Amino acid sequence: MDEVLKQLLTLGRTYYEKREYARAEQYLSQVVERNQSFADVYNMLGVIYHGQGQYQKAQRAFEASLRINPNYTDAALNLAVTYNDTGKYREAQEAYRHALDRSGASAGKLDRFVQGKLANMYAEIAAVYLSSGLYPEAIREYKKALELGPKFVDIRAQLAGALRDSG
């Protein structure tokens, strides 16, 4: 991942977390223009569009997120809400049922939703290490993230970038 993309992604996520959605949208939109492999970016954009009442754009963003990561429970639930808000009740029920089916856990195991959250938290820790130039620590955290979310293409790409940058 090039430095410009990293910076756009970091700024977009930072403004999103601060609920400064207009500023977040500027950066996150640039991210998807450069790289379409971040499920969480599409989900964040979907939340922003939904809040603006742009339901069609929100729907497309959530659907893109789910194409990248079909197990992304937040995106599936957000899509269900968006379908419901636009009168697509049958689709809303299907999206909700899909999210529940995907998040189920057997006894003694984390459900997929919690696993995904933890994977993203490890990836965030890794990004902090990476921004400080601590490549071995960042790589270790990305690997932990992928143990929990092995199909998270965005985290896999971040790990690859960290490995490349570390030599």
Side-chain angles (χ1 to χ4, degrees):
M1 180 181 336
D2 67 40
E3 287 302 316
V4 173
L5 183 60
K6 281 184 198 177
Q7 186 175 15
L8 292 170
L9 192 55
T10 300
L11 288 168
R13 285 179 175 154
T14 300
Y15 286 123
Y16 181 85
E17 289 169 7
K18 291 180 179 180
R19 292 182 170 28
E20 293 181 32
Y21 295 135
R23 294 180 92 179
E25 180 184 2
Q26 294 172 350
Y27 295 106
L28 297 173
S29 295
Q30 291 180 58
V31 169
V32 297
E33 287 174 11
R34 293 171 166 267
N35 187 322
Q36 296 80 41
S37 66
F38 297 103
D40 66 323
V41 171
Y42 281 108
N43 185 60
M44 287 185 278
L45 283 169
V47 169
I48 292 167
Y49 297 146
H50 188 274
Q52 295 169 345
Q54 297 184 57
Y55 299 121
Q56 293 301 318
K57 284 179 82 172
Q59 177 184 325
R60 286 192 300 271
F62 295 134
E63 289 170 347
S65 179
L66 289 168
R67 276 192 300 278
I68 296 165
N69 181 359
N71 298 323
Y72 197 167
T73 305
D74 278 353
L77 293 174
N78 288 333
L79 179 60
V81 169
T82 301
Y83 280 150
N84 192 61
D85 288 346
T86 57
K88 297 178 182 176
Y89 303 116
R90 185 179 53 77
E91 292 92 336
Q93 285 180 328
E94 289 174 15
Y96 182 71
R97 196 170 19 257
H98 175 78
L100 290 179
D101 290 344
R102 294 285 188 175
S103 70
S106 57
K109 289 192 169 189
L110 293 172
D111 73 24
R112 291 181 183 144
F113 179 73
V114 173
Q115 280 183 293
K117 287 283 191 188
L118 288 171
N120 286 323
M121 292 172 79
Y122 279 120
E124 288 175 22
I125 293 168
V128 172
Y129 280 128
L130 192 63
S131 69
S132 300
L134 300 171
Y135 297 107
E137 291 83 354
I139 291 166
R140 184 179 62 243
E141 296 302 318
Y142 282 131
K143 287 180 178 179
K144 286 181 189 177
L146 287 171
E147 286 176 24
L148 292 166
K151 294 183 180 179
F152 288 12
V153 177
D154 55 337
I155 295 173
R156 191 166 301 284
Q158 292 164 355
L159 171 60
L163 288 165
R164 181 200 62 227
D165 293 348
S166 72

